[in-house]
Amino acid sequence: MLDPDLINDLRNVRDVLVFTGAGISAESGIPTFRDRMTGLWVHTDPMEIATPMAFRRNPQRVWDWHVHLADAVRVALPNAGHLAIAKLEQRGVKVTVITQNIDNLHQRAGSRNVVELHGNLLRLKPFIDEDAAFAVKQPPVICPLCGGHAAWDTCDPCANHADLAAIQLCSGPVPHCPCCGSLLRPDIVWFGEMLAPEAIETAWNAVESCELLISVGASLEVEPAASLPWCALDKGAWVIEVNPSPTELARYCHASIAASAADVLPGLLDQVAIGSMLDDPLNTFKKWFIAK
Ligand SMILES: [Zn+2]
């Protein structure tokens, strides 16, 4: 499927960046965050409910919508694409996964170096009302447990991290931080919110150092993530797109494979970094040992 010269070059790659979008999650049965959900929530527009303003107005409704999404995430399993990416890392290759997905499937597949640009649905954080924070003259007191804006009159000094960690995104009333009483929300980037600066910085550093970038199931419509493959191209890295619906990138990258991640990644990633692994002294020793 690929140019033999390209395959030859991929063998010597040592630093790989895999950039993943909604397509690879959809292959595991997870609805796209921007798409409407089924059942109860079919008439709810995600762009109206996954926002700080919606949570401020009606936290319970926003919480319940995310619980429905979390139910889909919990029953989903990593697919052959997720597993192939994790296997590449387990072979000793430097692999950075930068994902727009919030479903934890890369970690469940075994990937350890994952940058979650849009956060993680199954992790919670305090809801910080930016409007209220700007309205008061005094800087807010920060809760030592959750990092939220604390209200000490309701604070419980006996609450500890285990109490906070035990709270999950499940049906029921919106939970509060056991220390300061802040409302808790999913630790994801809602519409109208900024990406975490640390995640963006890590992503750019990975683009700078990578020799190969593979863009998987990403529509490349949302900035700044959409620029990552283009910057990798600019700085001379190999760039491959794997997407059943190729994007504009397909015309400029080194290879565009119009197929699913689960179908393509196991075979493709088996070809990557084979040569560089042979240079590794430990692998040379293992080969020698097996030969004996
Ligand atoms: Zn707190």
Side-chain angles (χ1 to χ4, degrees):
M1 200 186 311
L2 291 185
D3 178 351
D5 287 344
L6 175 60
I7 291 180
N8 211 29
D9 288 323
L10 295 184
R11 291 167 62 92
N12 297 313
V13 158
R14 291 161 188 269
D15 188 325
V16 182
L17 192 167
V18 185
F19 174 59
T20 63
I24 191 169
S25 293
E27 289 177 43
S28 284
I30 294 176
T32 305
F33 191 66
R34 290 171 161 267
D35 288 344
R36 284 168 196 266
M37 289 192 285
T38 51
L40 270 180
W41 298 98
V42 71
H43 297 299
T44 305
D45 180 354
M47 292 187 73
E48 279 170 18
I49 199 157
T51 72
M53 199 184 290
F55 192 81
R56 192 179 300 122
R57 259 195 240 123
N58 190 342
Q60 189 65 54
R61 184 162 178 269
V62 175
W63 177 264
D64 292 345
W65 184 84
H66 286 84
V67 167
H68 188 73
L69 186 60
D71 288 344
V73 163
R74 288 198 182 95
V75 297
L77 293 172
N79 62 54
H82 294 106
L83 295 169
I85 297 166
K87 185 179 157 201
L88 183 65
E89 186 183 336
Q90 284 149 14
R91 272 169 45 206
V93 181
K94 184 186 170 202
V95 179
T96 307
V97 179
I98 298 178
T99 187
Q100 293 177 294
N101 302 327
I102 55 174
D103 50 38
N104 215 34
L105 286 183
H106 284 295
Q107 291 91 331
R108 282 177 61 197
S111 287
R112 284 171 302 173
N113 193 15
V114 182
V115 181
E116 296 170 314
L117 287 178
H118 294 167
N120 189 316
L121 181 68
L122 302 180
R123 197 167 59 220
L124 300 178
K125 68 177 183 181
F127 176 65
I128 295 177
D129 192 331
E130 300 289 349
D131 287 0
F134 279 115
V136 294
K137 290 199 179 82
Q138 295 282 333
V141 180
I142 303 299
C143 169
L145 198 59
C146 72
H149 292 174
W152 295 114
D153 50 340
T154 55
C155 180
D156 177 3
C158 297
N160 59 46
H161 280 281
D163 296 331
L164 182 62
I167 303 173
Q168 293 192 349
L169 181 54
C170 296
S171 58
V174 186
H176 295 259
C177 167
C179 178
C180 71
S182 291
L183 283 174
L184 298 178
R185 54 162 280 187
D187 188 1
I188 60 174
V189 178
W190 279 335
F191 295 104
E193 290 187 310
M194 307 291 284
L195 272 58
E198 316 84 64
I200 297 177
E201 195 186 336
T202 313
W204 286 120
N205 289 341
V207 169
E208 271 306 309
S209 72
C210 77
E211 295 164 287
L212 164 68
L213 182 149
I214 306 178
S215 176
V216 183
S219 60
L220 302 181
E221 284 167 353
V222 187
E223 291 293 352
S227 296
L228 297 175
W230 297 100
C231 293
L233 266 182
D234 267 356
K235 63 140 224 145
W238 300 106
V239 175
I240 297 176
E241 178 173 64
V242 175
N243 195 332
S245 318
T247 68
E248 181 74 4
L249 180 68
R251 289 170 54 202
Y252 300 94
C253 65
H254 298 94
S256 169
I257 307 170
S260 75
D263 285 343
V264 167
L265 289 184
L268 175 65
L269 296 184
D270 269 353
Q271 304 294 319
V272 170
I274 297 173
S276 60
M277 299 312 292
L278 296 180
D279 297 341
D280 185 292
L282 183 64
N283 279 296
T284 310
F285 172 75
K286 279 185 193 159
K287 261 183 70 184
W288 172 84
F289 188 77
I290 290 164
K292 296 278 166 189

